[in-house]
């Protein structure tokens, strides 16, 4: 159990039995959704050491995010111990409460480890794409919310709807279009973030964040290379849109990984085709071990 400060997950004394962490624990919904990502990672470790029962248990526990999806309103929401939604009239732009350092909009896609499951919750790939489009285009009201002005100002500065690039809960969202069958929208959105979110601001110099600059730097490096660890813990990288015509990565095994996009430009951002070692490749993800 969580005893304050660092050292564990909050709410496991009840959440392990309910399937989700209720609102009697502060930010219980956020703890539940992030715990699913952790369980996915731990499950891979269990599989690697031959613990098949542990793997099955943890992979099932990684699906607990489904308990907190309200099919009527189509938002992830906190719940009480008895299963009721913790907030009667949800404002998806409001910060705080069940949403640790963010709002309902920025946690509407918090299942990067189970894209097909998220598609099923929304109804179809087209429905997921429509929700993502709405997320990136719905204006954020700067006077709304429970957070301080830093959080509000950073969303306003990004100018991409409700997208909050300064904070980790949101960094994977541009790549979620891949699960909706729209790699073109991932490519457009990633390029827009690279163009708009690293030009400096009143907070953090070249970054829009405050204490999350390491995560933003890692996001930039991965995205500039044209790939990203969307399903963290799986060993997979997904493809976006490389920023440069050529990138050479010196690997630890002494080999070089060369990413070549000779016709790449600020206007020509779409990946029309992909080859690996000269052979056509038609997936939007690849195992890191295959690259190295």
């Amino acid at each position: 159990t969580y005893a304050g400060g660092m050292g564990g997950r909050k709410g496991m004394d009840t959440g392990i039995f309910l399937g989700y962490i209720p609102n009697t624990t502060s930010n219980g919904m956020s703890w539940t959704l992030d715990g699913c990502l952790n369980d996915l990672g731990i499950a891979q470790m269990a599989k690697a050491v031959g613990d098949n029962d542990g793997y099955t248990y943890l992979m099932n526990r990684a699906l607990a995010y489904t308990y907190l999806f309200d099919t009527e309103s189509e938002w992830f929401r906190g719940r009480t111990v008895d299963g009721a939604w913790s907030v009667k009239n949800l404002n998806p732009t409001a910060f705080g409460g069940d949403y640790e350092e963010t709002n309902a909009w920025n946690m509407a896609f918090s299942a990067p480890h189970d894209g097909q499951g998220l598609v099923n919750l929304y109804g179809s790939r087209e429905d997921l794409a429509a929700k993502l489009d709405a997320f990136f285009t719905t204006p954020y009201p700067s006077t709304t919310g429970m957070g301080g002005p830093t959080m509000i100002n950073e969303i306003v500065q990004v100018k991409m709807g409700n997208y909050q690039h300064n904070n980790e809960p949101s960094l994977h969202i541009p790549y979620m279009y891949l699960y909706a069958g729209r790699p073109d929208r991932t490519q457009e959105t990633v390029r827009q973030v690279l163009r708009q979110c690293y030009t400096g601001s009143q907070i953090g110099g070249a970054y829009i964040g405050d204490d999350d600059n390491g995560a933003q730097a890692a996001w930039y490096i991965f995205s500039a290379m044209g790939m990203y660890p969307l399903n963290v813990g799986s060993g997979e990288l997904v493809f976006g849109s490389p920023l440069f015509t050529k990138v050479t990565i010196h690997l630890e095994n002494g080999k070089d990984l060369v990413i070549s996009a000779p016709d790449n430009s600020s206007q020509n951002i779409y990946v029309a085709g992909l080859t690996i070692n000269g052979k056509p490749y038609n997936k939007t993800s690849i195992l890191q071990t295959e690259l190295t």
Side-chain angles (χ1 to χ4, degrees):
T1 59
Y2 185 85
M6 299 296 182
R9 299 189 205 178
K10 281 186 179 181
M12 290 297 282
D13 52 342
T14 53
I16 201 74
F17 302 105
L18 292 172
Y20 61 90
I21 298 172
N23 70 335
T24 48
T25 296
S26 177
N27 312 123
M29 194 214 71
S30 295
W31 278 95
T32 300
L33 268 58
D34 285 345
C36 291
L37 307 184
N38 292 334
D39 286 334
L40 183 282
I42 304 168
Q44 303 307 315
M45 183 179 293
K47 184 178 182 180
V49 299
D51 182 2
N52 294 326
D53 289 340
Y55 170 77
T56 301
Y57 169 71
L58 288 161
M59 286 296 287
N60 277 283
R61 207 166 75 172
L63 303 179
Y65 71 93
T66 58
Y67 290 119
L68 298 183
F69 187 80
D70 178 9
T71 55
E72 184 174 344
S73 68
E74 294 194 336
W75 295 108
F76 283 106
R77 304 176 64 178
R79 301 189 94 135
T80 65
V81 173
D82 59 10
W85 302 119
S86 59
V87 176
K88 186 175 182 180
N89 297 312
L90 177 67
N91 177 0
T93 66
F95 270 77
D98 293 316
Y99 308 97
E100 174 71 14
E101 294 191 4
T102 189
N103 60 13
W105 264 121
N106 282 279
M107 296 204 76
F109 314 100
S110 295
H113 63 304
D114 186 25
Q116 185 58 53
L118 193 64
V119 165
N120 294 344
L121 290 178
Y122 281 115
S124 69
R125 286 186 171 191
E126 291 76 16
D127 291 325
L128 176 58
K131 186 80 170 186
L132 284 159
D133 285 344
F135 169 71
F136 284 112
T137 57
T138 300
Y140 174 72
S142 59
T143 58
T144 300
M146 296 170 61
T150 299
M151 294 295 184
I152 294 172
N153 287 342
E154 286 156 350
I155 291 184
V156 173
Q157 289 168 21
V158 169
K159 296 181 176 63
M160 293 179 66
N162 273 263
Y163 181 55
Q164 186 188 1
H165 190 70
N166 70 291
N167 215 14
E168 289 90 344
S170 309
L171 296 180
H172 69 287
I173 298 177
Y175 291 93
M176 293 299 286
Y177 276 111
L178 296 174
Y179 289 130
R182 293 296 306 272
D184 58 312
R185 291 290 291 130
T186 281
Q187 292 156 22
E188 290 171 3
T189 308
V190 166
R191 282 296 192 98
Q192 187 178 1
V193 175
L194 289 169
R195 184 172 62 248
Q196 291 179 202
C197 295
Y198 293 87
T199 57
S201 73
Q202 62 185 3
I203 305 167
Y207 299 102
I208 292 179
D210 45 13
D211 61 344
D212 303 301
N213 293 347
Q216 288 188 64
W219 192 99
Y220 186 95
I221 293 168
F222 269 118
S223 296
M225 292 190 299
M227 59 185 71
Y228 189 77
L230 176 61
N231 186 357
V232 179
S234 69
E236 288 183 342
L237 294 166
V238 298
F239 296 117
S241 175
L243 187 60
F244 304 104
T245 55
K246 185 179 180 181
V247 172
T248 301
I249 305 164
H250 304 299
L251 303 175
E252 291 179 342
N253 59 16
K255 298 180 180 180
D256 283 348
L257 171 64
V258 180
I259 302 166
S260 180
D263 296 325
N264 185 8
S265 70
S266 59
Q267 289 77 40
N268 191 21
I269 65 173
Y270 298 105
V271 178
L274 174 66
T275 62
I276 296 180
N277 292 334
K279 298 179 181 179
Y281 191 87
N282 60 8
K283 299 178 182 178
T284 56
S285 65
I286 189 170
L287 288 173
Q288 179 261 338
T289 51
E290 292 184 47
L291 290 178
T292 55

